[in-house]
Amino acid sequence: MTEGTGAALLLVGCGKMGGAMLDGWLAAGMASRVVVVDQAGLPESVAGNPLVALASGADALPDGFVPDVVVLAVKPQVMDGALPSYRTLVRPGTVFLSIAAGKTIAYFERLLGEGAVVVRSMPNTPAAIGRGMTVAVPNSRVTAAQRELSDRLLRAVGDVAWVEDEGLLDPVTAVSGSGPAYVFFLVEAMAKAGEAAGLPADLAMRLARATVSGAGALLDASPQQAADLRKAVTSPNGTTQAALEVLMAADGMQPVMTAAIAAAARRSRELAG
Ligand SMILES: NC(=O)c1ccc[n+]([C@@H]2O[C@H](COP(=O)([O-])OP(=O)(O)OC[C@H]3O[C@@H](n4cnc5c(N)ncnc54)[C@H](OP(=O)(O)O)[C@@H]3O)[C@@H](O)[C@H]2O)c1
């Protein structure tokens, strides 16, 4: 890659995640060229963009196209079938950047060959609207420049953290990967509790949804810690304190959340391949 000209990217799988990343790269001017492999064709958002081309597979890339990064954004269950055809692209200058849940670095080295330069990452669903949290781990062949480039590509869909220990991706999956579902369930639980307290169902749901999304936006906009924001809305002997005494009791929400996240991390270890 020539400094300042953007990277040559091959995007394998252009669905929800791949499509969101592609839009982000183009908006940020990060790509000199993007070749997309997806039988569904190019998304409408990139129609007519001269930097983007469609290819039918690894054996049909444009002449002379050598990607700096091959972004693997297909579902984990189709990776076995898709990956071997990309072995021909393995070289020190090309990073294979995977966002597929549960697919390990050892898996990619096995299917692509020992020389493969691999970054494994775990994004979450808010990445589809540019608000994701992604954790990435490099294999030993990734150079500092390749890590920096991978970081910028992932940053197009939200925040990015790097870890060196791949084992951390199981608890990462349990906290941020699966986490959006816990938050959606919080909305359901608050709405149901509101109904039990006497609210009409539709009003209870509207209040729960607006409160969770509004509090999330407030947390995002504030430099304060979550605990400080919580304390700021808790007056002594008030209504919030009455609820928090239940939620924060020894048998309250913390042990349930700890058990839930431990179960997800355990399942992530079982599924890893
Ligand atoms: N969505 C999330 O929130 C999320 C979060 C964390 C990680 N991820 C990971 O991101 C990856 C993509 O997820 P997604 O939600 O974006 O899935 P998706 O919307 O189904 O996108 C995958 C795309 O890949 C295409 N495809 C299938 N086989 C292919 C092949 N051999 N070559 C090229 N393209 C192929 C699919 O086409 P067809 O539909 O025609 O099969 C589809 O357009 C997954 O590995 C998932 O684990 C997703």
Side-chain angles (χ1 to χ4, degrees), residues 11-21 36-41 55-57 72-79 81-83 85-86 98-103 121-128 133-134 176-177 180:
L11 176 61
V12 183
C14 191
K16 286 186 287 295
M17 295 291 281
M21 292 177 90
V36 174
V37 178
D38 192 313
Q39 57 274 33
S56 59
L72 300 166
V74 294
K75 291 279 190 200
Q77 57 270 28
V78 304
M79 198 67 86
L83 206 52
S85 62
Y86 294 92
S98 163
I99 62 162
K103 293 295 181 196
S121 73
M122 179 66 210
N124 63 4
T125 37
M133 180 69 230
T134 300
S176 55

Side-chain angles (χ1 to χ4, degrees), residues 211 215 218 224-244:
T211 301
L218 183 61
Q224 286 183 283
Q225 298 293 324
D228 295 327
L229 290 169
R230 167 174 57 76
K231 286 174 194 153
V233 293
T234 312
S235 25
N237 293 319
T239 58
T240 310
Q241 185 178 326
L244 288 175

